Amino acid sequence: MKPSVRKTIIAGNWKMNMTPSAARAAVAETAALVAGQASCEVVLCVPFVDVPAAVEVARGTNVKIGAQNVHFEKKGAFTGEIAADMLLECGVEYVIVGHSERRQYFGETDETVNRRAKAALEAGLKVILCLGEVLSQRQAGITEEIVSLQTKLDLAGITAEQMKNVVIAYEPVWAIGTGLTATPEQAEEVCAFIRAVVRAGFGARAARGLPILYGGSVNPENADDFFLLPDVDGALVGGASLDPRKFFSILEESENNED
Ligand code: PGA
């Protein structure tokens, strides 16, 4: 059973989907569905250009808005990048860093992920740090080595105090967008392991308070397998978050497993 210090978080990652007008409608529909529920934190991580519309529609509702990336410098000649202060001023509360698609397609390394996480935390954003092994690493039996290294490198230099604003999303890369999911045993094993790595680096209190989400093809049919696990505190949902009703069904599964 989960300690009550950790709130369940159900976060959607829209990736490169939804124009601002589509975002407006989807946030409104999601907010209407989740109105009245208080037991979990609901976050939608939207494309940068959707942020103003999403924040406006989400204001006064249970939905919090996140972004999907942030640059590590405060400002300057970094064409195409977005700084943490810009996101904050637009009303963003959360930011994803280190998503596997950024690592795979955009040259993101543990060093740049770490710099982005630090910049976001220093500015006052909450960070959803994504990490996880690729299939060949799982098959080679080195999942724990990989996840341990990512956890240590990506969180290097972050203080125990700042850890209060960190969420880790364990996303096995082979399960993202593939329809494959980790088994509940695999998810629990790795999430408990990540918590142990955080305990060793930041202490028992930080580890106990750290929300760890599972991500990778979570949908309304399989979500409750994960919400029963003691070290899994919610989900990072890609594809299924684009449909507000599916996203809400996932959230309902998490509520069914409260207490
Ligand atoms: P998916 O994506 O749910 O579509 O597999 C998860 C993610 O990339 O965060």
Side-chain angles (χ1 to χ4, degrees), residues 11-15 96 99-101 130 169 171-173 175-181 214-219 236-241:
N13 173 12
W14 283 0
K15 309 191 180 185
I96 294 175
H99 190 277
S100 67
E101 285 149 18
C130 297
E171 300 204 303
V173 180
I176 295 179
T178 57
L180 297 172
T181 54
Y214 169 76
S217 299
V218 174
N219 61 40
L236 181 57
V237 184
S241 71

Side-chain angles (χ1 to χ4, degrees), residues 34-94:
V34 305
Q37 75 75 39
S39 63
C40 73
E41 181 110 328
V42 184
V43 185
L44 288 175
C45 297
V46 307
F48 289 135
V49 294
D50 293 347
V51 162
V55 166
E56 188 190 315
V57 177
R59 192 166 292 128
T61 75
N62 288 339
V63 176
K64 311 230 185 294
I65 300 302
Q68 299 171 12
N69 195 16
V70 62
H71 194 61
F72 35 80
E73 294 294 347
K74 286 190 165 51
K75 62 179 179 176
F78 301 101
T79 303
E81 293 291 330
I82 300 286
D85 279 355
M86 299 173 185
L87 297 176
L88 265 182
E89 192 172 318
C90 289
V92 164
E93 287 182 51
Y94 283 86

Side-chain angles (χ1 to χ4, degrees), residues 42-241:
V42 184
V43 185
L44 288 175
C45 297
V46 307
F48 289 135
V49 294
D50 293 347
V51 162
V55 166
E56 188 190 315
V57 177
R59 192 166 292 128
T61 75
N62 288 339
V63 176
K64 311 230 185 294
I65 300 302
Q68 299 171 12
N69 195 16
V70 62
H71 194 61
F72 35 80
E73 294 294 347
K74 286 190 165 51
K75 62 179 179 176
F78 301 101
T79 303
E81 293 291 330
I82 300 286
D85 279 355
M86 299 173 185
L87 297 176
L88 265 182
E89 192 172 318
C90 289
V92 164
E93 287 182 51
Y94 283 86
V95 65
I96 294 175
V97 299
H99 190 277
S100 67
E101 285 149 18
R102 305 266 351 143
R103 295 179 193 252
Q104 265 182 303
Y105 308 137
F106 302 100
E108 200 77 69
T109 64
D110 287 313
E111 193 210 329
T112 56
V113 171
N114 174 244
R115 292 179 71 189
R116 290 179 203 276
K118 284 197 287 200
L121 291 167
E122 274 158 28
L125 291 165
K126 293 181 181 145
V127 163
I128 301 175
L129 167 66
C130 297
L131 48 85
E133 80 286 1
V134 300
L135 187 57
S136 59
Q137 293 165 334
R138 176 159 286 272
Q139 286 167 338
I142 56 168
T143 297
E144 290 197 347
E145 280 94 320
I146 296 300
V147 163
S148 162
L149 202 63
Q150 288 176 326
T151 305
K152 287 179 193 157
L153 294 176
D154 298 353
L155 296 176
I158 287 168
T159 64
E161 186 61 26
Q162 287 177 320
M163 283 301 288
K164 291 180 184 157
N165 288 322
V166 172
V167 176
I168 291 183
Y170 167 56
E171 300 204 303
V173 180
W174 46 272
I176 295 179
T178 57
L180 297 172
T181 54
T183 63
E185 294 73 26
Q186 288 170 327
E188 172 58 23
E189 192 175 45
V190 180
C191 291
F193 176 75
I194 292 170
R195 199 176 302 287
V197 173
V198 168
R199 187 177 302 115
F202 297 93
R205 181 175 300 206
R208 203 167 42 242
L210 173 72
I212 304 182
L213 315 183
Y214 169 76
S217 299
V218 174
N219 61 40
E221 285 72 48
N222 61 30
D224 67 334
D225 293 347
F226 299 103
F227 297 141
L228 288 169
L229 304 170
D231 283 288
V232 177
D233 307 305
L236 181 57
V237 184
S241 71

